[in-house]
Amino acid sequence: MQRELAMRQDGAGAPGAAPQTTSALAASRPSGGMTSIASELAALRERQATQPMNVRNAALPGSTAAAGASDVEDRDGDGRPDLWRYERDGKLVREVFDDDADGTPDRTVHYEPGSKRIARVEQDDDGDGQTDTWVIYENGKMNQRRADTNHDGQVDAWTFYDENGQVTRQAQDLDGDGTRDRAEVFENGKLARRTEDLDGDGRPDRSTRFDAKGQALETEEDKDGDGQIDVRSYYADGRLVKRQILGEEGQEATP
């Protein structure tokens, strides 16, 4: 079963940024049916630990950004440079920007070799001099976005896009342990399914399907952590209408 959230371009990430952990919270399954949580357990336990997730070595250039620049520009006319262009063999390879005019670069745009198409954008969102966001492009179109949302030096959020720029998948590491514990699948740009590891034990224990309005339609929960669905709930217009308590074989238990 193909991993739904496998990094398609780990090797094309920020300089020094390692491939990220792949979790079976992203395991693919048809949106029309809610299969047993047990089918996701084995893959979720798989921890790819061959590379660290630390990305602090991907800092943006500091005040010495002008060194080696092919061209420098003061876009806002305040007397300080805020755009640095770098070329190789006469062709633009990257641009570095100081967008908030604080004197420190905070955004770098990398271009495909010999092309003006963007390959990757790196950005320092909180002004601490370290890259927090990486946006990867494929054939000139945004393909995926990685972010360090809590600014601890580790990527903890991943977003994937289709060729039209719509979100197709998202994943998050909510507790900062290096493993994705929430995965979401989108259809036509709308949230269709979410799988979660609520207790942080590396096992998915709740899966939710959503309707076209983004409201919960059906949930399956593994309450005791044995890998089997214990409770299935049904919703209408976001309100609970039915709940099943299931037995060992996934059938509705007799009261």
Side-chain angles (χ1 to χ4, degrees):
M1 183 167 53
Q2 182 180 1
R3 294 188 183 91
E4 192 163 305
L5 289 171
M7 286 298 180
R8 296 168 56 187
Q9 287 187 322
D10 279 325
Q20 307 304 327
T21 303
T22 325
S23 165
L25 280 172
S28 173
R29 64 181 182 181
S31 60
M34 302 281 283
T35 60
S36 171
I37 294 177
S39 66
E40 299 178 355
L41 286 182
L44 184 58
R45 292 182 182 129
E46 180 181 322
R47 304 289 181 91
Q48 182 179 329
T50 58
Q51 296 287 346
M53 291 184 65
N54 192 289
V55 294
R56 280 303 185 195
N57 57 350
L60 291 169
S63 59
T64 59
S70 303
D71 183 34
V72 178
E73 185 177 333
D74 174 15
R75 296 174 298 164
D76 57 10
D78 66 352
R80 296 188 300 182
D82 49 32
L83 168 58
W84 297 262
R85 294 188 180 92
Y86 297 82
E87 297 180 354
R88 183 180 300 123
D89 298 327
K91 296 180 179 179
L92 182 66
V93 293
R94 76 178 186 277
E95 292 180 305
V96 179
F97 299 83
D98 174 15
D99 289 326
D100 57 10
D102 66 349
T104 303
D106 44 43
R107 180 166 59 96
T108 300
V109 179
H110 298 264
Y111 295 91
E112 294 180 6
S115 169
K116 293 184 178 180
R117 293 195 305 190
I118 296 175
R120 184 174 73 253
V121 177
E122 302 166 359
Q123 187 156 334
D124 172 16
D125 297 317
D126 60 358
D128 67 350
Q130 306 293 336
T131 305
D132 306 304
T133 304
W134 296 260
V135 181
I136 311 300
Y137 289 74
E138 190 174 276
N139 297 322
K141 296 182 179 181
M142 185 167 56
N143 177 262
Q144 63 176 269
R145 180 180 184 272
R146 308 174 192 173
D148 173 14
T149 62
N150 61 3
H151 310 292
D152 68 347
Q154 298 191 87
V155 173
D156 52 39
W158 300 260
T159 304
F160 297 84
Y161 304 86
D162 64 18
E163 61 181 9
N164 297 316
Q166 287 189 326
V167 176
T168 59
R169 305 185 305 278
Q170 288 185 335
Q172 292 175 279
D173 171 17
L174 299 174
D175 56 11
D177 67 351
T179 300
R180 304 173 195 182
D181 37 39
R182 175 185 290 175
E184 297 176 328
V185 176
F186 292 74
E187 296 178 359
N188 298 319
K190 296 181 179 180
L191 179 62
R193 187 171 66 256
R194 175 184 294 147
T195 307
E196 300 169 275
D197 172 16
L198 299 175
D199 56 12
D201 67 350
R203 301 180 177 186
D205 40 46
R206 183 168 68 188
S207 186
T208 306
R209 283 198 299 123
F210 296 86
D211 61 21
K213 298 178 181 179
Q215 297 176 321
L217 185 63
E218 180 183 339
T219 63
E220 293 180 340
E221 298 176 85
D222 173 15
K223 293 288 191 178
D224 57 10
D226 66 351
Q228 299 295 327
I229 298 169
D230 305 310
V231 179
R232 182 178 288 119
S233 303
Y234 300 90
Y235 299 81
D237 294 324
R239 300 178 61 182
L240 178 66
V241 294
K242 181 181 179 181
R243 176 164 289 162
Q244 292 178 317
I245 307 300
L246 305 178
E248 294 183 359
E249 301 301 324
Q251 301 298 320
E252 187 169 4
T254 304

